Amino acid sequence: MLIRVNPEVEQALKEKRAVVALESTIISHGMPYPQNVQTALSVEKIVREHGGVPATIGIIDGVGVVGMNPEEIEEFGRRGMSIPKVSRRDLPVIMARKSWGATTVATTMIIAALGGVEFFVTGGIGGVHRGAEETFDISADLEELARTNVTVICAGAKAILDLPKTLEVLETKGVPVLGYQTDELPAFYTRTSGLKVDARVENAREAADIVRAKRELGLDGGVLITNPIPEAESMDPAFINAHIEQAIRDMDEKGIKGKECTPFLLARIAEITEGKSLAANIQLVFNNAAVGTEIAKEYYR
Ligand code: PSU
Ligand code: MN
């Protein structure tokens, strides 16, 4: 058995209700304990308040679980970085060895699709890292968006990435990038990046119609819906960008590479902003959960 769908989620899928997938790398590698667990449980609650059914995805004893229970979420949070971050290439090893694994955007999409879940809410996606022309460090999340039929609702991508290159790759891969009530690609902690999205949508119905059109066309791959952090929670671009630059310098000095980059940068930025980035991160995920659930409801209406 490669995946296990919890009975509540299975029932909701049968009834064509708004099931919303959530990832576990954000829990184990994206935030410190205990805020990670509190956030994960609050996000599930927000999905429910909006009339959806949450399905937090992770790998437990080599099984992809679609819809973890609160005790399992607690364990992902408590064990944190000691649970391996699992991308597409790691899946066979983790499954064969019956290990635990925290699923990234890429692997959450894979397992969601296997379970029949169309919508997935998270904070930010991986993308093309700065300096990728040298390092070739491009997140497997982009390749997954190219091939796997899951819609991802996020707050854009962090300025730790090279955002223009990230958009170029998404274009090449045929992934529509929508802006929820915005013309600009949001940059995670901030509402703006100076870069245009492919199309602006004003409401959940417009977003759902675009997802449906892509499915009817039989075009494989995801749709990326970018939803800016609420104004009140957004950070001053000059402040956050200076700290991001600092964190990237610290990472280079320490020689951190590959899959360690994103977790290191998130933790380092939270440290040097004295928790301000973490607070913003939590708020934007909450906002994405509300919007993502509304879009899922429209899709199944
Ligand atoms: N961006 C965030 N928070 C996160 C991540 C990205 O703001 O927790 C995680 C997601 O799980 C994403 C992964 O899929 O980092 C990307 O890692 P990499 O760059 O190594 O592909
Ligand atoms: Mn990488």
Side-chain angles (χ1 to χ4, degrees), residues 23-225:
E23 60 155 310
S24 45
T25 289
I26 192 175
I27 304 174
S28 297
H29 296 259
M31 290 182 192
Y33 182 77
Q35 288 96 329
N36 52 6
V37 174
Q38 289 159 0
T39 303
L41 296 176
S42 299
V43 168
E44 289 211 336
K45 188 156 166 268
I46 291 168
V47 170
R48 287 186 194 285
E49 284 165 0
H50 284 261
V53 174
T56 300
I57 291 179
I59 303 166
I60 297 179
D61 299 332
V63 176
V65 177
V66 183
M68 298 202 282
N69 65 38
E71 293 72 39
E72 291 164 341
I73 289 173
E74 164 73 28
E75 191 158 349
F76 270 85
R78 197 164 31 75
R79 287 169 59 182
M81 305 260 186
S82 73
I83 296 182
K85 172 180 163 187
V86 176
S87 193
R88 173 178 272 266
R89 62 113 192 249
D90 308 301
L91 262 183
V93 175
I94 294 290
M95 297 264 182
R97 293 184 177 165
K98 309 213 177 310
S99 308
W100 283 53
T103 53
T104 62
V105 168
T107 37
T108 303
M109 288 178 74
I110 294 171
I111 294 170
L114 287 171
V117 180
E118 169 68 53
F119 292 92
F120 164 26
V121 162
T122 189
I125 60 160
V128 180
H129 281 263
R130 296 194 197 176
E133 58 276 23
E134 278 292 315
T135 62
F136 276 42
D137 190 352
I138 301 174
S139 176
D141 294 352
L142 300 183
E143 195 61 49
E144 211 58 55
L145 282 161
R147 65 204 289 180
T148 299
N149 299 355
V150 169
T151 297
V152 181
I153 296 95
C154 70
K158 254 183 253 63
I160 61 175
L161 301 170
D162 185 320
L163 299 182
K165 288 195 182 75
T166 300
L167 280 183
E168 287 297 338
V169 171
L170 288 167
E171 179 187 1
T172 303
K173 303 284 182 186
V175 180
V177 179
L178 312 183
Y180 191 81
Q181 298 172 348
T182 183
D183 296 304
E184 262 191 59
L185 178 74
F188 201 77
Y189 302 118
T190 59
R191 293 175 59 85
T192 55
S193 64
L195 301 164
K196 288 250 172 301
V197 291
D198 308 328
R200 172 185 178 123
V201 292
E202 292 307 334
N203 52 46
R205 187 183 47 75
E206 281 184 35
D209 286 347
I210 292 168
V211 175
R212 196 174 305 107
K214 179 156 181 168
R215 298 294 167 247
E216 282 171 4
L217 280 163
L219 293 176
D220 277 336
V223 174
L224 190 64
I225 302 175

